[in-house]
Amino acid sequence: MAQRKITQARAHETRARILTGAAEAFAEHGFAGATIADIMTRSGVTKRALYFHFDTKEEVADAVLAAHTTWLRDAVAALAGSPVQRLVDYGYLTCDGLADDPIFQATARLAIERETYGAGRPASFGVWQETTRDMLDEVAAAGCLNAGVDTGVVARMLSAPVLGLHLSARASDPSSRLHAEIEQCWTHAGATLVRPEALTGVTLRRARPTA
């Protein structure tokens, strides 16, 4: 039994290393540009080990997206505060993930490579938009949204610019974070979306991490 647990733990660790290495490769080179050899090198695994877990590069990419979805939902569930504060903090959570996390960065790259990655496969942008809409629905259920706000429309309005700004920033400054843009978004659009009293006590600004 103990040996079986050790074997399972090693398999889990190997799979995690493959996903991290693959995410780095996808984020840097895109789906078409990332090679199995590059993924193996970044992961530090043999071809046999990689193909024990995955049959194709598409399966690896699918697993990267699935890992991102699980992480994102857990991270959102852990956000504290009012529904409005959680929605604001979700924006900062997203921009920090895009700046620091290879799997987050890979999902952003894969989101726009539908032709090479394959139509019909899961898209990270859809996950972000769905998560944003769920959080907006929570804000609405708490009676904090202004009348006439369409949560579906606003979810896309909030999600699409973040992806676009991230890709633009990566092209000019790979270390760039989107804190200023998130703050400006809520400074200018907050009162349009959320009832004034619901914004009372909500922190719209987050200091940019230095590390």
Side-chain angles (χ1 to χ4, degrees):
M1 181 64 72
Q3 182 60 42
R4 184 176 182 181
K5 288 183 178 180
I6 292 174
T7 301
Q8 290 176 338
R10 287 176 177 170
H12 180 78
E13 178 186 359
T14 299
R15 190 177 190 277
R17 286 165 55 194
I18 293 171
L19 293 184
T20 299
E24 292 174 354
F26 292 144
E28 183 173 348
H29 301 297
F31 180 78
T35 65
I36 291 295
D38 189 18
I39 294 172
M40 288 165 49
T41 299
R42 292 171 185 265
S43 305
V45 303
T46 64
K47 181 180 290 188
R48 180 178 180 181
L50 189 147
Y51 281 110
F52 174 81
H53 291 276
F54 304 101
D55 291 331
T56 65
K57 189 170 68 171
E58 285 83 0
E59 285 190 8
V60 180
D62 289 347
V64 168
L65 290 180
H68 167 71
T69 299
T70 299
W71 178 89
L72 182 64
R73 288 175 177 166
D74 289 344
V76 166
L79 292 175
S82 69
V84 177
Q85 185 68 71
R86 292 177 71 250
L87 179 62
V88 172
D89 290 345
Y90 169 58
Y92 289 105
L93 183 154
T94 299
C95 73
D96 287 342
L98 288 169
D100 298 327
D101 187 82
I103 288 183
F104 224 124
Q105 294 165 358
T107 59
R109 183 72 181 261
L110 292 172
I112 62 171
E113 298 193 352
R114 306 306 293 160
E115 293 182 1
T116 56
Y117 178 46
R121 305 189 98 85
S124 55
F125 181 78
V127 174
W128 299 342
Q129 187 173 331
E130 179 184 344
T131 302
T132 304
R133 181 167 187 171
D134 288 344
M135 301 192 76
L136 282 164
D137 286 341
E138 291 180 11
V139 174
C144 298
L145 279 188
N146 284 324
V149 172
D150 185 317
T151 57
V153 172
V154 173
R156 187 171 186 85
M157 183 186 78
L158 294 177
S159 301
V162 174
L163 177 59
L165 287 166
H166 163 70
L167 294 174
S168 298
R170 291 286 294 177
S172 58
D173 180 9
S175 65
S176 177
R177 296 174 186 268
L178 306 179
H179 281 65
E181 286 79 2
I182 297 295
E183 180 183 347
Q184 289 172 9
C185 170
W186 284 107
T187 299
H188 291 87
T192 301
L193 302 175
V194 179
R195 294 182 183 278
E197 61 271 21
L199 285 172
T200 302
V202 172
T203 301
L204 301 182
R205 185 176 187 178
R206 287 287 182 276
R208 172 176 171 162
T210 56

